[in-house]
Amino acid sequence: MLRLIARRVAQMLLIMATVSLILFAIFDSDQFRKRVAISELGGFGVATLSEQDYQNWLENKGLNAPFLLRYGEWLGKLAHGDFGRSLEKNVEVSTLLSERLFNTGVLAFSVLLIMVPVSLLLGVLAVMDEGSLLDRIISIGAVISTSIPQIATAVLLTVVLALGLGWVPAKSAMVDGFNFRQLVLPLLTLLIYDIGYVVRMTRASMAEVMTSHYIRTAVLKGLPYWRVIMKHALRNALIVPFTLIFLQLNWLLSEVVVVEVFFQYAGFGRMLFDAAVYGDIAVVQAATLVAVGVAVLSQLMSDIVYMMLNPRVRFA
């Protein structure tokens, strides 16, 4: 097991190194360099930047040095937490990134805190009496919730809960500290889709396990049905949904872009969108590295949980 984890960690580091090299190469092109030079020198377009000014800017920034030397210096700065400075916000990227990641972390933690027990409970309840009215209600509800685009869910919730009933604010700026009422709409938008998806996976996994020979043997031996499910079926059935739940950390970073922009929630997704629109290259670089880091870390956590639940992989 430790050997497999070490191999996964080595793969994770290799992926991060490859992505960092690709990112640096992309943003090191003349097109992006000139855009940064224009922003820093106060120009308004490529035509306003003379070739001499551009060459002087490159010299002052040390960008005429060899590529690998500049890449090594950039990695050294990243290792010390120096991601550069945001052109749009005029603050250190590390400061901006920590603030926005905290807000998104609050949202993501709230989603997982509610989604995990609710989706697992509904999935198990649906398969305990397969084909019953409760099973059909849960299954149909899960299909409907995963069929509606999140932007449509966000609009519907805003119209009903914010504009219609006035229970919660339509915007979730989160600029004056934590306010749970501002968290309700983005939280519900993410939960409606995510719970439905995990419920469907949990039900499908449980239904497959319940057809196994050892489950039939336990039932024929006269064990109580709830004991068969909780003691014999649930552990094997949780392999798929728990793997998906850990991978959900990666999906949340892509989902929150739409949700945070729509509700004006000051989180990671909103920061990435604003930086891409403005052309804030340092922020885009840092946000991309963080997103890739979360993706490979969630994959590592998923592999560890899979090995804990499946001894055949653990001792292979």
Side-chain angles (χ1 to χ4, degrees):
M1 181 176 178
L2 292 178
R3 184 181 300 177
L4 186 57
I5 293 176
R7 191 185 308 159
R8 292 288 189 270
V9 172
Q11 292 174 353
M12 180 180 70
L13 294 176
L14 180 61
I15 291 173
M16 290 297 298
T18 304
V19 170
S20 67
L21 180 60
I22 295 174
L23 271 179
F24 186 80
I26 291 175
F27 291 110
D28 193 59
S29 63
D30 278 340
Q31 178 183 359
F32 287 102
R33 283 181 174 184
K34 288 184 177 180
R35 188 163 187 172
V36 175
I38 291 168
S39 300
E40 291 188 0
L41 297 176
F44 299 96
V46 178
T48 65
L49 183 68
S50 66
E51 184 62 27
Q52 185 61 43
D53 291 337
Y54 177 58
Q55 293 300 325
N56 292 336
W57 180 84
L58 290 176
E59 186 69 28
N60 293 332
K61 292 290 184 179
L63 296 178
N64 288 328
F67 176 84
L68 292 179
L69 179 61
R70 286 183 284 108
Y71 174 66
E73 292 178 351
W74 182 66
L75 287 182
K77 291 180 179 179
L78 292 183
H80 290 86
D82 183 6
F83 294 94
R85 193 169 185 86
S86 169
L87 296 175
E88 179 188 11
K89 308 294 184 182
N90 195 27
V91 296
E92 293 295 327
V93 174
S94 57
T95 302
L96 179 64
L97 196 60
S98 61
E99 294 174 354
R100 297 304 181 89
L101 279 175
F102 175 79
N103 289 340
T104 297
V106 171
L107 182 59
F109 178 76
S110 302
V111 170
L112 292 175
L113 190 64
I114 299 173
M115 178 193 69
V116 173
V118 171
S119 56
L120 293 180
L121 177 62
L122 292 177
V124 172
L125 287 177
V127 84
M128 283 185 69
D129 193 6
E130 195 171 358
S132 65
L133 178 61
L134 179 62
D135 179 25
R136 293 179 182 179
I137 291 175
I138 293 175
S139 299
I140 293 174
V143 170
I144 293 175
S145 66
T146 53
S147 301
I148 302 176
Q150 287 183 327
I151 186 65
T153 304
V155 172
L156 181 61
L157 290 176
T158 302
V159 171
V160 175
L161 298 181
L163 303 181
L165 299 175
W167 290 351
V168 291
K171 297 181 180 180
S172 304
M174 294 290 286
V175 294
D176 299 323
F178 178 76
N179 186 336
F180 180 76
R181 293 181 71 247
Q182 295 184 359
L183 201 65
V184 171
L185 289 181
L187 181 60
L188 286 178
T189 302
L190 292 171
L191 280 175
I192 288 175
Y193 178 87
D194 293 340
I195 287 179
Y197 182 69
V198 178
V199 164
R200 293 175 62 187
M201 296 299 104
T202 303
R203 185 196 179 282
S205 181
M206 280 290 295
E208 182 179 358
V209 170
M210 292 301 291
T211 60
S212 303
H213 294 298
Y214 71 94
I215 296 296
R216 293 179 180 175
T217 302
V219 173
L220 292 175
K221 287 172 64 177
L223 293 177
Y225 194 59
W226 65 268
R227 187 177 179 184
V228 172
I229 290 179
M230 299 302 296
K231 188 174 181 180
H232 300 281
L234 191 57
R235 175 167 178 162
N236 290 328
L238 286 180
I239 293 177
V240 173
F242 261 93
T243 303
L244 292 173
I245 287 169
F246 278 98
L247 293 178
Q248 197 78 5
L249 295 173
N250 180 30
W251 297 336
L252 277 174
L253 280 185
S254 60
E255 293 174 345
V256 296
V257 175
V258 175
V259 174
E260 289 183 356
V261 170
F262 183 86
F263 292 112
Q264 299 185 21
Y265 184 85
F268 177 85
R270 174 72 184 276
M271 179 197 70
L272 179 58
F273 176 81
D274 292 341
V277 172
Y278 186 84
D280 203 341
I281 295 175
V283 177
V284 174
Q285 279 183 314
T288 305
L289 285 175
V290 169
V292 174
V294 171
V296 295
L297 185 60
S298 63
Q299 182 66 59
L300 176 62
M301 295 170 62
S302 173
D303 290 340
I304 293 175
V305 172
Y306 184 80
M307 286 184 287
M308 293 174 62
L309 292 175
N310 192 348
R312 291 174 298 180
V313 177
R314 193 189 320 165
F315 297 108

